[in-house]
Amino acid sequence: MKQENNLNQNTSISSYLRETKYSETLLINQMSLLRAENKDEVYKFGFGQSPFPIPESICRSLAENAHRKEYMSVQGHFPLRQAIAGFHKEKENKIWQAENMIVGAGSKILLFCVMAAFQEAEVLLAAPSWVSYEPQAKLAGHKVSWLETNFDDRWRITPEQLETFCQNRDSPDTPLIFVFNYPSNPTGQSYSDNELQALAAVMKKYQVIVIADEIYSLLSYDIDKLFKNTLETYYPEGCIVSSGLSKWCGAGGWRLGFLHIPPQLTGLLAAVIGIASETYSCAPSPIQVAATEAYENIAVANVFLKDQISLLNKISIYCTEKLSEVGVKVHKAEGGFYLFPDFSVFSEKLKGQNISTSEQLMHQLMEQTGVALLPGSAFGLPSSSLTARLAFVDFNDEKFVDTDISSYDFEKIKQGINRLCQWLTEL
Ligand code: PLP
């Protein structure tokens, strides 16, 4: 009898649970697995993680520090914060103090901690944007607003757009948090120095709190840009910067990220540390020590980055050219590992196949060609936009063991792109 009561209690909790979206990434992965089980070829352009092996010296450091079992400070190992500040000073001219930084178990949880630190805020996102910003803002109880971008603006927001939004806010006194990600996931696009300066002027004027998600910045293909200015140069007092080991060091699963929070945002760092202390406590200690080695050894990072950038740029050019040849609208990536093709020129032909949304397009593509993409709707665009994210990192990383990364022949990616182009031309 008692057990029955418990069961009833369990079934009735569903109406109290938070709504979470079933992730398109998981759906596409499931479809890929099904196809792979049938021994059909799958081109995994849906899921983007760094394919490059972590440099050997950094892995060795992790092995040597496996015994580190102590909790570290919630804010993060001080030598690591110092090493990160030194590294980003050298690479991007950042002027950071370790005291204003926090290290956590990936930058994702830290982004959430920033949002959760506000009792009330409005979170502004560009559409398309990385999939987790909106759910995080909603979990923190905030209103989410969008600035929709378009192909002609290379999927980037303009200062005029931001100004119009700021001028017309319903509650201008509520803090506005703008998540600004460049180079972008999902578009691969970035901003010029002048564009950053113009955007920063509007942000400053309206005291926007910016989270500059610069997790892909070290994978900017134009190396000269790395030594130039960032958004923070023009708006240091309002710009929180987030980054970590996941992309440039190929170590997403190590879960190591950080934030730099300007002291002018009084109380915010303390609030974030407070939330971190009540949730994950600290990033894993052995990882923090190995990460210190990664950030201290700039020479190793430089070689590793140069090779990756050279290969990623080559693949981006290949994919962009091939897709453009068959009429797809797409901009070459400026950093990271994503393209954001727009298939709207095929809309009439696709309609003939009962395809009028980006989700339908991805499902048909997967079924008929084995090419997995993520629909533009997963990133905040309307379903009708016929856009997708294409992550061009589907290669077998074991091959890198004996191969120089920069000269790798990305055969699998070429096959997938050709398959996609063939499907489009046969519509
Ligand atoms: N920001 C963007 C744009 C990302 O693509 C990712 C990871 O995919 C993250 C943040 C989170 O990175 P991590 O939590 O691994 O530091």
Side-chain angles (χ1 to χ4, degrees):
M1 187 61 189
K2 204 152 196 244
Q3 202 173 5
E4 211 170 282
N5 273 345
N6 281 344
L7 276 178
N8 283 343
Q9 266 173 12
N10 284 342
T11 43
S12 65
I13 62 166
S14 56
S15 57
Y16 293 93
L17 298 177
R18 289 182 193 279
E19 247 182 65
T20 48
K21 267 201 282 185
Y22 186 69
S23 157
E24 281 286 339
T25 318
L26 294 177
L27 200 65
I28 293 280
N29 275 349
Q30 239 173 27
M31 287 173 74
S32 321
L33 283 177
L34 273 178
R35 220 184 128 90
E37 269 172 25
N38 293 334
K39 305 233 177 323
D40 290 328
E41 194 65 78
V42 177
Y43 304 97
K44 293 190 210 114
F45 298 156
F47 189 52
Q49 72 171 328
S50 168
F52 306 113
I54 301 167
E56 225 178 286
S57 57
I58 301 170
C59 289
R60 213 177 312 121
S61 168
L62 178 60
E64 283 164 8
N65 286 286
H67 64 280
R68 298 294 295 258
K69 66 190 185 68
E70 73 279 19
Y71 286 99
M72 285 184 162
S73 89
V74 177
Q75 195 174 351
H77 192 41
F78 189 71
L80 171 58
R81 284 184 276 133
Q82 280 181 314
I84 295 171
F87 183 90
H88 282 274
K89 164 102 184 70
E90 168 107 5
K91 307 234 35 107
E92 297 181 299
N93 224 2
K94 300 280 196 191
I95 303 163
W96 289 341
Q97 304 300 324
E99 289 75 11
N100 299 325
M101 301 172 72
I102 173 168
V103 165
S107 64
K108 192 178 197 170
I109 186 67
L110 291 171
L111 295 175
F112 179 67
C113 289
V114 172
M115 297 205 195
F118 286 81
Q119 291 188 28
E120 196 189 349
E122 179 173 5
V123 174
L124 180 63
L125 303 175
S129 265
W130 182 48
V131 288
S132 293
Y133 302 136
E134 184 195 24
Q136 286 197 346
K138 288 194 165 160
L139 280 173
H142 302 321
K143 175 183 171 186
V144 177
S145 300
W146 294 90
L147 289 180
E148 199 171 312
T149 63
N150 57 53
F151 177 84
D152 293 333
D153 287 330
R154 289 202 283 123
W155 308 110
R156 292 135 359 114
I157 60 144
T158 63
E160 295 74 27
Q161 218 180 350
L162 183 60
E163 173 110 38
T164 307
F165 176 85
C166 291
Q167 267 170 357
N168 295 297
R169 288 180 69 206
D170 292 339
S171 338
D173 295 332
T174 308
L176 180 65
I177 303 175
F178 179 34
V179 189
F180 184 72
N181 168 224
Y182 69 111
S184 152
N185 172 7
T187 70
Q189 300 301 299
S190 201
Y191 291 81
S192 71
D193 194 29
N194 286 344
E195 287 163 343
L196 291 175
Q197 206 166 342
L199 282 167
V202 182
M203 292 162 177
K204 206 184 259 265
K205 178 170 168 192
Y206 293 94
Q207 299 190 333
V208 180
I209 297 163
V210 182
I211 300 179
D213 181 345
E214 298 181 2
I215 190 110
Y216 293 96
S217 74
L218 296 167
L219 294 179
S220 293
Y221 304 159
D222 178 356
I223 298 203
D224 291 343
K225 241 186 193 174
L226 269 182
F227 298 96
K228 296 216 181 93
N229 302 319
T230 63
L231 183 75
E232 194 194 23
T233 315
Y234 302 112
Y235 186 36
E237 69 276 23
C239 207
I240 301 158
V241 179
S242 75
S243 186
L245 274 191
S246 299
K247 311 300 172 187
W248 74 266
C249 194
W254 281 25
R255 310 309 301 129
L256 195 291
F258 69 85
L259 298 176
H260 177 269
I261 301 183
Q264 293 91 334
L265 296 176
T266 318
L268 182 57
L269 178 62
V272 169
I273 293 173
I275 295 167
S277 78
E278 303 302 356
T279 50
Y280 66 84
S281 296
C282 67
S285 308
I287 300 282
Q288 292 202 54
V289 181
T292 310
E293 163 96 22
Y295 279 106
E296 273 172 353
N297 205 334
I298 294 185
V300 170
N302 282 346
V303 174
F304 189 48
L305 280 167
K306 189 162 164 276
D307 289 349
Q308 286 185 67
I309 288 167
S310 154
L311 176 60
L312 290 172
N313 192 22
K314 225 184 317 180
I315 301 174
S316 154
I317 292 172
Y318 177 89
C319 298
T320 309
E321 284 179 358
K322 286 285 168 192
L323 290 167
S324 303
E325 272 169 26
V326 297
V328 177
K329 285 162 58 181
V330 60
H331 297 291
K332 188 184 103 53
E334 293 182 285
F337 14 82
Y338 308 103
L339 293 175
F340 201 70
D342 176 339
F343 299 94
S344 55
V345 285
F346 297 93
S347 63
E348 281 309 309
K349 287 182 177 170
L350 290 169
K351 237 181 237 159
Q353 310 255 351
N354 287 328
I355 298 172
S356 53
T357 67
S358 57
E359 295 94 330
Q360 287 164 348
L361 173 58
M362 299 318 118
H363 284 217
Q364 287 277 8
L365 249 181
M366 182 57 178
E367 248 171 51
Q368 295 181 20
T369 66
V371 173
L373 302 177
L374 275 186
S377 57
F379 303 93
L381 286 180
S383 281
S384 57
S385 80
L386 293 181
T387 51
R389 186 188 77 178
L390 190 160
F392 50 83
V393 277
D394 181 14
F395 24 70
N396 177 1
D397 62 3
E398 278 163 36
K399 287 190 184 155
F400 288 121
V401 175
D402 302 318
T403 314
D404 161 21
I405 289 180
S406 59
S407 62
Y408 182 64
D409 186 26
F410 60 98
E411 193 47 46
K412 178 92 187 282
I413 296 173
K414 288 181 185 165
Q415 282 171 16
I417 293 295
N418 290 336
R419 196 78 199 80
L420 170 59
C421 291
Q422 191 187 349
W423 187 80
L424 290 167
T425 48
E426 286 170 3
L427 277 174

